[in-house]
Amino acid sequence: MLASLLGGLALGSWLQAGHGGPLREAAPVIESVGGVWLNALRMTVGPLVFALLVSAIAGVSDAMATGRLARRAVAWFGVLLLLAGTLAVLLSLGVLALWPVDPQAAAAFVDGAGRDGAGPVALTSIGDWLKSLVPANIVQAAADDAILALVVFATLFGFAARNCRPLSATR
C-alpha cells in the first residue's frame, strides 16, 4: 500500500511537471475513478462502525463487563493516541531536520492558504455540540459523515438491544 502511495505521488509529481502528454490529458478521468473508489470506501465505514459497536455491546451479557470493556477501550485509545501523537512529532522534526523548509516558500504557502478557503469556522456552544451528538435523523448523520454521532447512537442502540427480551420470553 505504501509503495502504491509513493508511486502515485511520483506519477502525480511527474505529470504536474508537464510530462506525460496523453496521460496528463487523462488525469481528470483517472481522478474521477479515484473519487469513486474513495467514496465506495467511505460508504462502508458507517455501516461497519455501527454493526461492530452494536454487536459488541449487545453481545456482552454482564453490565459490569461492559463497563470494564469501555474503560479498557478508552485506556487503549488514550495510550495509542498519545503514542501516535508523540511519534508524529518526532518523525516530523526528523524530516524537517533532514529536509528544511525554505522560509520564503513557507510564507508564500501561508499567504496562499486562506485565499480559496472557506474562511473562519463559526464557533458553536457546548449545548449545540451536545445536541449534535444524538442526531434526530441517524441516516442523515451517516450521510453527512458525522461519525461521532453515529458512534454515540450505535452505543446507545447496543445498550438498548442488550436489555431487550425476546417476545417468546414475555409469554
Side-chain angles (χ1 to χ4, degrees):
M1 193 182 314
L2 186 58
S4 297
L5 182 63
L6 291 174
L9 183 64
L11 180 64
S13 297
W14 183 68
L15 289 175
Q16 186 67 28
H19 306 290
L23 190 59
R24 184 176 171 87
E25 293 172 8
V29 174
I30 295 169
E31 184 178 354
S32 297
V33 171
V36 168
W37 174 253
L38 287 177
N39 286 342
L41 287 175
R42 286 179 47 214
M43 185 174 58
T44 62
V45 169
L48 283 174
V49 166
F50 184 82
L52 285 171
L53 278 172
V54 169
S55 63
I57 292 171
V60 175
S61 60
D62 183 16
M64 291 301 290
T66 304
R68 286 191 302 268
L69 180 67
R71 280 192 298 277
R72 284 182 58 199
V74 168
W76 271 107
F77 287 143
V79 167
L80 291 175
L81 186 61
L82 182 65
L83 182 65
T86 304
L87 186 62
V89 167
L90 293 175
L91 286 175
S92 297
L93 291 175
V95 167
L96 287 173
L98 293 174
W99 188 10
V101 177
D102 179 35
Q104 291 176 342
F109 176 76
V110 169
D111 288 341
R115 289 191 194 142
D116 296 332
V121 176
L123 296 177
T124 59
S125 69
I126 296 292
D128 289 339
W129 180 77
L130 287 173
K131 282 189 229 175
S132 73
L133 289 181
V134 182
N137 185 346
I138 192 61
V139 175
Q140 182 65 40
D144 292 340
D145 289 332
I147 294 297
L148 181 59
L150 185 66
V151 166
V152 169
F153 177 76
T155 303
L156 295 174
F157 190 82
F159 280 117
R162 189 190 76 209
N163 293 327
C164 286
R165 306 280 187 272
L167 287 176
S168 61
T170 60
R171 294 183 188 172

